[in-house]
Amino acid sequence: MNEKNVKYLTTGEFAKLCKVNKQTLFYYDQIGLLSPVFKNEKGYRYYSINQIELFYVIDLLKDLGMSLNDIQQYTQNKSPESFLTLMYQKKEEIVKKRQEMEMKEKLIETKIAIMEEASQIDFHQITLEHLPEATLYLSRNIENITDEEFVEVISEFIEELNESQLDTGYPIGGITKREQVLKGEFSKYSYLYMEQPHPKVGYPYFQAVKGDFLIGYHMGEDKTIHHTYKKLFAEMERLHLALGDYVFEEYIYDTVVMNQKEQYVTKIMIQVIQENQQ
C-alpha cells in the first residue's frame, strides 16, 4: 500500500474526529466491525478519512437500537441494495417511534391539564352543571360479575386501550345505571369507560348525551362513598331534581398522586332531570 500520497489518520486522530475513545475503535476492530485500513510494521493502526462515514452509520444504527452483532452482519455483507433496505427499515421504525412519542406527549398534556384543573376545585362543593356530549370507549358489560372477573375485565380493558391506542390520558371511570343507584349499589358498575375527545373511526363507542349533572366529590375509600351519595341525594331533593339514566364516577386523586386511601378523591357525576319532567 502506498502511504505517501494518501493522508491516513492515527487511531487517536480518528477517535477524536468520531468523538469516541480509542478503546471503542480497538473493540470494533477486534469484533470485525470497523478495522483500520492498515497497520505498519510497528503495529500502529491507520484509518482512512472515508471510514468516518461508515463509523457514523454504525453509530446511527446503534442509536436506533440495532445490536453490534446485527450491524456486523450488515458490514460483512455490504451492498447498495442491502444499505437501502436497511435505511427504509430504520425509517419506518423512526416514524413509528415518533408517533408513539407524540401519543405519549398528548397523554402527558391531558394528565397535566386534569391535575391543574383539580387543584382549583373545592372538593366540598356540590355543583349543578350542564355537560356537553361526550364520546366514551366502554369495557364489556360488568354487571353481576365476581371480584376475580372484575380484575380480569380491568386487565382486558387496559390491554384494549393500549393495543388500539385509545388511551387518551383521561381517568378510567365507571358507569352505574339508574336502577343500581336506586338500590344503593353505588359502585356496582355496568361498564368501565375512558373519554375519547377525538374518536377513531371503526370502534364501538358510547355517546354520553349532553345534559344536567349534579357533581360532587368523595374523599376517602370506596367503602365510605355512600355518605357522599347521601349528600348528593339531599341536594337533588333541595333542587327538586330526579335521577337520570346514568351516574359516572372517576378518580381525581388516586394511588398515582396520593399514598393514603383516605386522600383519594372520586368525582361523581349524576345525570339529573327536573322532577316535573319525569
Side-chain angles (χ1 to χ4, degrees):
M1 180 178 292
N2 187 353
E3 303 174 29
K4 295 181 180 179
N5 299 322
V6 182
K7 170 59 179 172
Y8 292 106
L9 304 169
T10 66
T11 302
E13 290 171 334
F14 193 77
K16 186 175 181 180
L17 282 174
C18 296
K19 297 181 181 179
V20 294
N21 57 49
K22 291 191 289 185
Q23 284 68 32
T24 298
L25 296 180
F26 292 152
Y27 180 64
Y28 283 3
D29 182 21
Q30 180 184 340
I31 65 174
L33 187 60
L34 175 63
S35 297
V37 174
F38 75 94
K39 300 176 186 177
N40 66 14
E41 63 278 2
K42 294 182 179 180
Y44 293 122
R45 303 157 184 258
Y46 291 91
Y47 293 83
S48 164
I49 194 168
N50 295 328
Q51 290 180 290
I52 293 176
E53 183 62 27
L54 175 57
F55 178 87
Y56 286 163
V57 170
I58 291 171
D59 207 42
L60 171 65
L61 295 174
K62 273 180 58 185
D63 284 345
L64 293 175
M66 196 168 174
S67 70
L68 289 179
N69 183 61
D70 287 341
I71 298 172
Q72 184 185 32
Q73 293 298 315
Y74 163 73
T75 59
Q76 291 177 352
N77 299 278
K78 288 181 287 195
S79 72
E81 293 78 17
S82 63
F83 178 73
L84 196 57
T85 298
L86 182 59
M87 289 298 101
Y88 273 123
Q89 177 189 335
K90 292 304 170 185
K91 181 182 177 181
E92 287 179 8
E93 291 176 6
I94 289 172
V95 169
K96 183 178 179 181
K97 286 181 180 178
R98 182 168 63 242
Q99 290 172 342
E100 290 173 351
M101 291 305 295
E102 288 173 352
M103 186 178 71
K104 289 176 181 177
E105 182 182 12
K106 290 178 182 177
L107 290 181
I108 290 173
E109 287 175 349
T110 299
K111 291 183 183 299
I112 288 172
I114 291 171
M115 201 54 54
E116 287 183 342
E117 181 182 350
S119 68
Q120 305 300 316
I121 296 173
D122 178 0
F123 295 132
H124 296 91
Q125 189 177 18
I126 296 175
T127 58
L128 179 62
E129 300 180 27
H130 187 80
L131 299 185
E133 189 178 74
T135 301
L136 311 177
Y137 183 72
L138 302 186
S139 70
R140 61 183 169 93
N141 189 284
I142 56 175
E143 295 173 6
N144 305 313
I145 63 172
T146 65
D147 291 343
E148 291 78 11
E149 289 172 322
F150 183 69
V151 173
E152 181 184 324
V153 169
I154 293 176
S155 176
E156 178 186 284
F157 187 56
I158 291 172
E159 188 174 340
E160 286 176 13
L161 293 171
N162 291 333
E163 287 186 356
S164 301
Q165 297 184 345
L166 294 171
D167 186 349
T168 57
Y170 284 84
I172 293 176
I175 299 176
T176 310
K177 292 181 179 177
R178 182 176 187 273
E179 53 265 31
Q180 302 302 124
V181 176
L182 290 175
K183 293 177 185 177
E185 298 172 338
F186 304 122
S187 295
K188 192 170 183 179
Y189 305 134
S190 295
Y191 301 94
L192 301 176
Y193 72 86
M194 180 174 283
E195 188 173 343
Q196 304 288 311
H198 307 288
K200 293 183 178 181
V201 176
Y203 291 92
Y205 295 112
F206 174 82
Q207 210 66 34
V209 297
K210 62 183 177 181
D212 294 326
F213 287 80
L214 196 66
I215 300 176
Y217 300 87
H218 171 66
M219 289 169 283
E221 298 182 68
D222 291 342
K223 65 183 182 181
T224 61
I225 202 167
H226 60 280
H227 296 305
T228 303
Y229 271 94
K230 185 177 180 180
K231 295 176 184 177
L232 288 165
F233 290 153
E235 184 66 7
M236 284 172 58
E237 187 175 349
R238 187 184 73 81
L239 296 173
H240 304 290
L241 298 172
L243 182 64
D245 292 330
Y246 300 103
V247 174
F248 301 86
E249 283 185 18
E250 54 190 49
Y251 275 120
I252 300 297
Y253 293 159
D254 59 7
T255 184
V256 174
V257 297
M258 294 297 186
N259 288 321
Q260 305 298 326
K261 290 182 178 180
E262 293 76 16
Q263 298 173 309
Y264 292 179
V265 177
T266 305
K267 184 178 183 179
I268 303 171
M269 295 165 279
I270 301 179
Q271 188 178 23
V272 293
I273 57 176
Q274 292 294 327
E275 286 184 342
N276 56 16
Q277 295 179 4
Q278 282 185 299

